[in-house]
Amino acid sequence: MTTLSACSAADLTTLLGSTGNATAAAEYICTRFTNTTNDFTNIKYAIDNTYLLFSAYLVFAMQLGFAMLCAGSVRAKNTMNIMLTNVLDAAAGGISYYIFGFAFAFGGPSNGFIGKHYFGLKKIPSQYFDYSSFLYQWAFAIAAAGITSGSIAERTQFVAYLIYSSFLTGFVYPIVSHWVWSADGWASASRDIKSGSLLFDSGAIDFAGSGVVHMVGGTAGLWGALIEGPRIGRFDRSGRSVALRGHSGSLVVLGTFLLWFGWYGFNPGSFFQILRPYNTSDVYYGQWSAVGRTAVTTTLAGCTAGLTTLFSRRLLVGHWNVTDVCNGLLGGLAAITSGCSVVEPWAAVICGFVAAWVLIGFNKLAEKCKYDDPLEAAQLHGGCGAWGLLFTGLFAKEQYVYEIYVYGTDRPASRPYGLFMGGGGKLFAAQIIQILAIIGWVSATMGPLFYILKKLKLLRISSEDEMAGMDMTRHGGFAYVYHDEDASSHPPPGFAMRRIEPDGTSPAPTNGSSNNVV
């Protein structure tokens, strides 16, 4: 919103003349003018915070999407377990991110590696953050933990989920988000020049987290699944892949649509504010337009990736598979997350097309390496997230980069942008550095954590529990009722149905049939 100039009673008095009431009239007018200015400022804050809160609610709804997708992708005997772990990601992540995570991520002023203020949300609200900022960033943090839980599903002890989820959301993820999203971060595209030069005079552009969220979650899941090893029966004695299909395609589709819906808070919401003009000759064009464009690029990338996967898998395996399509669509959404705000819609189509093939290629590689990931989380979020960072370095448009990432007068005279858009290779180089830094950091922290859990026998469940299913052995019963315990009101012909008492005997059929009624 355009800043209104301050009102000066002394200047107004000279305009009103030398009448006796001129001074009083000038003071009255300035008071009303100042009050109106404050009202406009308050309205702007209210609108922007409401927009951010609404986006946070959408991102949090993605947890329901993760829960449905994960539940549908595992076997029925582990449904209760995977649903509980998704609840745990949100709950444990909320406490750890409140105490430590937000401060490590955004607690400035600080060094380029880690934040050091706002522990336990101390001194918030401030000039830079309100409570809505914490809520939004917490929803992002637990999304990273949710990605990891899919990679190690169906064979992981519950205590391991509790430990890794708290560690990931309270320490590992916040450090990466500080690097890229904090104004003090060493790789941040919005880094204050007074804090030192930007990475390659550019910084890494990761607008909504292809690297910060998806690569972090995917890389952590990769190490967890590698250290645990594949599920029993996933590969036969000769090493051939055996499909352990999820039990509900309906839940997979429901989860996919919920995640897609939540992505409209994930990507457009990362602007943090919507009421911001760009001070151009087009008065109708401002940040509200960029928000809409970001939603469009998000949509196009997901749609293109879904369709590409559909026809590609049809050619490769000979049938139409809804689960493959859903994963392909999510891969496109993960890839566009980095550059969604700085690329043209036509470029988003390219992003989605390549993302589908990246996912297919990594899945083939995982099969060759006997790597078992029930949700393809490492391949989808890690592989497609890395492609999204490279894509941004190739296709970021100069105009959009300046609109989104330049704040105040501290911007470089000529900020690099996409290589294919004429902006040179500096941004692309910064994106590669971000990819390598994320892989290195997450590997150095989460890899040892999973290894220690394994050595302490806290990581993987026993083979007996895995074969029986964790719902029965660890959670008190199956998620679904397979048999009705009450007597049926419509018994099969020829049988006298009655309640069976626990007397150790079996009821006999009334017509001589050899079948027992149970």
Side-chain angles (χ1 to χ4, degrees):
M1 182 174 292
T2 304
T3 303
L4 300 176
S5 301
C7 180
S8 171
D11 293 340
L12 250 169
T13 302
T14 59
L15 297 175
L16 294 174
S18 58
T19 61
N21 295 327
T23 301
E27 292 177 351
Y28 173 78
I29 293 172
C30 278
T31 299
R32 298 300 297 270
F33 184 85
T34 301
N35 290 340
T36 302
T37 301
N38 291 337
D39 288 341
F40 275 116
T41 302
N42 292 338
I43 290 172
K44 179 185 184 301
Y45 281 128
I47 291 174
D48 287 338
N49 271 277
T50 300
Y51 174 71
L52 186 58
L53 280 172
F54 177 73
S55 299
Y57 303 151
L58 286 177
V59 177
F60 179 67
M62 295 177 76
Q63 289 303 117
L64 178 57
F66 279 123
M68 296 298 101
L69 179 69
C70 291
S73 299
V74 301
R75 290 163 291 181
K77 62 183 180 180
N78 294 310
T79 305
M80 190 77 76
N81 173 264
I82 200 67
M83 297 283 274
L84 186 57
T85 60
N86 276 271
V87 175
L88 176 67
D89 287 336
I95 300 301
S96 60
Y97 199 73
Y98 161 72
I99 298 174
F100 303 109
F102 188 79
F104 288 152
F106 299 102
S110 65
N111 55 63
F113 180 77
I114 189 172
K116 56 183 180 181
H117 300 285
Y118 305 135
F119 291 97
L121 299 188
K122 186 178 180 180
K123 296 184 179 180
I124 286 182
S126 69
Q127 179 184 354
Y128 305 103
F129 298 107
D130 207 329
Y131 292 109
S132 55
S133 302
F134 165 79
L135 194 71
Y136 188 71
Q137 296 298 340
W138 161 70
F140 270 60
I142 61 177
I147 292 168
T148 305
S149 66
S151 295
I152 57 178
E154 297 202 279
R155 60 208 192 270
T156 305
Q157 293 192 46
F158 189 72
V159 65
Y161 282 110
L162 181 64
I163 295 171
Y164 99 78
S165 182
S166 299
F167 185 62
L168 182 66
T169 55
F171 182 69
V172 178
Y173 165 82
I175 298 299
V176 178
S177 57
H178 180 80
W179 295 349
V180 181
W181 287 343
S182 172
D184 299 314
W186 64 268
S188 176
S190 58
R191 180 178 174 87
D192 189 339
I193 296 299
K194 297 175 183 178
S195 301
S197 61
L198 295 171
L199 178 65
F200 297 120
D201 297 322
S202 167
I205 294 180
D206 189 6
F207 184 72
S210 287
V212 175
V213 178
H214 296 282
M215 276 197 68
V216 168
T219 305
L222 172 68
W223 281 106
L226 283 174
I227 292 172
E228 276 194 300
R231 291 167 292 173
I232 296 175
R234 180 64 179 86
F235 299 96
D236 63 18
R237 293 183 178 180
S238 63
R240 291 177 300 181
S241 174
V242 177
L244 300 179
R245 299 190 182 279
H247 79 281
S248 176
S250 299
L251 288 179
V252 170
V253 173
L254 175 61
T256 300
F257 274 114
L258 286 170
L259 288 169
W260 191 350
F261 176 66
W263 235 290
Y264 293 120
F266 209 91
N267 288 4
S270 292
F271 282 92
F272 303 130
Q273 48 182 233
I274 193 171
L275 195 58
R276 177 172 175 250
Y278 287 154
N279 297 322
T280 65
S281 58
D282 300 325
V283 295
Y284 54 83
Y285 178 72
Q287 192 136 291
W288 47 87
S289 303
V291 167
R293 184 185 66 245
T294 300
V296 170
T297 57
T298 300
T299 302
L300 292 176
C303 292
T304 304
L307 290 172
T308 303
T309 306
L310 173 69
F311 292 105
S312 300
R313 293 294 293 172
R314 175 67 173 83
L315 294 174
L316 291 172
V317 300
H319 58 266
W320 313 99
N321 190 309
V322 66
T323 302
D324 289 338
V325 174
C326 288
N327 284 340
L329 189 149
L330 294 175
L333 293 174
I336 195 62
T337 297
S338 170
C340 55
S341 64
V342 295
V343 300
E344 293 278 14
W346 60 263
V349 174
I350 298 175
C351 178
F353 178 80
V354 176
W357 286 105
V358 169
L359 178 59
I360 292 172
F362 273 111
N363 281 336
K364 288 292 184 182
L365 179 62
E367 189 174 314
K368 292 287 186 182
C369 297
K370 297 181 177 57
Y371 169 78
D372 182 24
D373 187 327
L375 275 89
E376 303 175 5
Q379 303 94 297
L380 192 160
H381 297 279
C384 293
W387 156 242
L389 291 175
L390 297 176
F391 162 79
T392 304
L394 297 174
F395 289 95
K397 185 176 180 179
E398 181 181 18
Q399 174 190 345
Y400 299 156
V401 170
Y402 271 87
E403 288 173 352
I404 308 305
Y405 280 95
V406 180
Y407 303 98
T409 59
D410 292 328
R411 63 181 182 271
S414 179
R415 183 186 291 275
Y417 50 99
L419 176 63
F420 290 169
M421 307 298 286
K426 289 186 175 181
L427 175 59
F428 187 72
Q431 303 298 93
I432 295 176
I433 294 297
Q434 183 188 349
I435 292 172
L436 296 177
I438 290 174
I439 294 174
W441 169 250
V442 179
S443 299
T445 51
M446 295 302 294
L449 175 66
F450 283 120
Y451 182 76
I452 292 171
L453 290 174
K454 180 180 179 179
K455 287 299 183 181
L456 295 175
K457 301 187 184 303
L458 296 175
L459 184 59
R460 184 156 184 161
I461 60 175
S462 66
S463 57
E464 292 79 9
D465 286 352
E466 186 174 344
M467 294 297 293
M470 283 185 284
D471 286 4
M472 181 57 69
T473 61
R474 299 299 179 100
H475 303 293
F478 293 118
Y480 303 101
V481 177
Y482 294 100
H483 303 286
D484 192 351
E485 296 179 356
D486 294 328
S488 173
S489 59
H490 301 285
F495 289 87
M497 302 294 292
R498 63 185 178 84
R499 185 180 297 277
I500 300 175
E501 300 298 334
D503 58 1
T505 62
S506 300
T510 59
N511 63 350
S513 171
S514 60
N515 292 321
N516 289 331
V517 180
V518 292

